[in-house]
Amino acid sequence: MGPHPAVAAIRLAVRRVLHEVLTDHAELLNTTPHASATSPHAADGLPLVLVACSGGADSMALASALAFEAPKLSVRAGAVTVDHGLQTGSDLRAAEVVARLGAMRLDPVESVAVAVGRDGGPEAAARDARYAALDAAAERHRATAVLLGHTRDDQAETVLLGLARGSGTRSLSGMAAVSGTAGRYRRPFLQLDRQTARKACLVQSIPVWDDPHNTDPAYTRSRLRHEGLPALEKALGKGVVEALARTAQLSRDDADALDAWAADAEAAVRDDTGQLACARLYALPPAVRRRVLRRAVIAAGAPAGSLFARHLEEVDRLITGWRGQGAINLPGRVEARRQGGRLVIRQG
């Protein structure tokens, strides 16, 4: 008899991603001169894949699948848990997670404590601190990839949050299956629901920790998870989560195409001095023009996570609705103003 269907599903998802990681790793070795001598894994010849594990059902299911599949594919498997320090005893829970991951024979396994700031609100600040820690761990251990346990339910929530912010097609595209520097982050579970991961832990007798923040109504995502999505399913019927996940993929395809167009257009809308020419910007389709503006504002120092559609709309009015208005103040102390037919964007 084979494994439980939930266990089989998570293992298959991880196996597919590991094959992709191995293919990308082999291509890197083949295309980089002397890569075999300088590869992070030259000492043992095996790429290292880390799993980011909080101790919750999604990430513990992911860790168990990685521990099972990695040896069969000659991949080293390790794990990192991030202690945000936001709850009493978080260090003890992190130590428990490390012990459980070690029992799965993952190696290396470590806990990393972070200091969570306040920029962008508590959820965004915790996320920023977490990814900074994961990036540092990947560099420290020379990992080829870091696996994240986001599920289809997480994707649906992300799409709805993007819709609420009114941030455009890119926000509606949700989380990418592959993201980060050189495709570092991989999300094997985006096509699996949260219950599949939880069931996989249950049938394998894997202890999980339910973060109380996930049920705390003070957090936007928690309210959406326990109040918003159930209300939508009650009003619209089952299948809302699946539909939102499909919307994410369709939106990502559109956003990728528009981003590529904007990247090509950016050089063409600058004058001989390198400044953005308002007349050339005006000639672009709105969706492309706003992407060019977003790229320019971020390049000037505005944090991408704090830049919303309303900010870009105000900057866009300097192009399409110019009536002598003054400078637009943007996140990151960035300022946009129109001067002599040019759009000047700089940090104040």
Side-chain angles (χ1 to χ4, degrees):
M1 180 181 295
H4 187 279
V7 176
I10 65 170
R11 289 177 178 175
L12 176 60
V14 168
R15 190 184 317 141
R16 286 171 173 166
V17 167
L18 290 181
H19 278 297
E20 293 171 1
V21 169
L22 286 170
T23 299
D24 293 347
H25 182 66
E27 290 177 355
L28 177 64
L29 293 180
N30 291 332
T31 57
T32 304
H34 310 298
S36 59
T38 59
S39 166
H41 316 290
D44 52 27
L46 303 181
L48 171 64
V49 174
L50 299 174
V51 57
C53 187
S54 66
D58 301 342
S59 59
M60 288 301 289
L62 182 57
S64 71
L66 177 62
F68 182 83
E69 294 292 338
K72 298 193 296 183
L73 296 174
S74 297
V75 173
R76 294 169 57 216
V80 178
T81 186
V82 178
D83 174 13
H84 298 84
L86 298 177
Q87 300 165 358
T88 302
S90 64
D91 56 336
L92 298 178
R93 279 189 292 273
E96 290 176 2
V97 172
V98 166
R100 290 171 186 167
L101 295 171
M104 293 180 182
R105 298 188 178 180
L106 296 173
D107 180 40
V109 176
E110 69 172 350
S111 171
V112 180
V114 298
V116 177
R118 297 182 178 180
D119 291 346
E123 291 167 284
R127 183 178 61 248
D128 290 345
R130 180 167 59 253
Y131 276 101
L134 293 175
D135 280 333
E139 294 292 337
R140 185 165 56 254
H141 294 291
R142 298 179 172 184
T144 299
V146 178
L147 305 188
L148 304 175
H150 297 120
T151 64
R152 185 171 62 192
D153 300 82
D154 296 308
Q155 185 74 298
E157 293 161 9
T158 301
V159 172
L160 285 176
L161 289 170
L163 183 63
R165 286 195 299 266
S167 299
T169 308
R170 178 55 70 187
S171 282
L172 295 183
S173 66
M175 296 174 286
V178 180
S179 64
T181 303
R184 168 176 289 161
Y185 293 108
R186 312 283 176 130
R187 297 177 173 87
F189 289 176
L190 285 183
Q191 301 303 317
L192 299 178
D193 62 33
R194 190 173 288 139
Q195 285 305 312
T196 297
R198 184 168 288 277
K199 185 66 174 179
C201 289
L202 179 63
V203 299
Q204 295 178 99
S205 300
I206 297 174
V208 299
W209 173 65
D210 291 316
D211 187 344
H213 283 173
N214 290 336
T215 57
D216 187 344
Y219 294 94
T220 304
R221 186 178 286 269
S222 175
R223 294 196 301 274
L224 181 59
R225 179 174 302 176
H226 298 287
E227 300 173 24
L229 269 172
L232 281 175
E233 291 201 331
K234 182 177 180 180
L236 302 176
K238 296 293 184 181
V240 170
V241 168
E242 293 86 343
L244 288 168
R246 286 196 302 273
T247 297
Q249 185 56 58
L250 293 171
S251 298
R252 181 165 296 281
D253 292 342
D254 290 347
D256 287 346
L258 288 167
D259 284 348
W261 187 352
D264 291 339
E266 187 170 8
V269 297
R270 294 186 182 274
D271 61 19
D272 295 338
T273 67
Q275 297 291 327
L276 292 167
C278 293
R280 297 179 188 179
L281 284 167
Y282 186 84
L284 291 175
V288 179
R289 181 175 61 246
R290 287 174 183 170
R291 279 170 167 75
V292 171
L293 296 177
R294 177 180 173 81
R295 289 167 62 93
V297 170
I298 292 173
S306 301
L307 194 61
F308 300 145
R310 57 185 172 83
H311 296 127
L312 296 177
E313 288 169 1
E314 290 298 318
V315 178
D316 197 40
R317 288 193 187 98
L318 296 176
I319 309 299
T320 62
W322 173 243
R323 294 182 179 82
Q325 59 263 45
I328 305 298
N329 293 318
L330 300 165
R333 297 184 295 106
V334 172
E335 177 185 273
R337 67 169 63 243
R338 180 165 173 157
Q339 291 179 337
R342 299 185 180 96
L343 186 66
V344 180
I345 302 174
R346 62 191 174 200
Q347 207 163 34

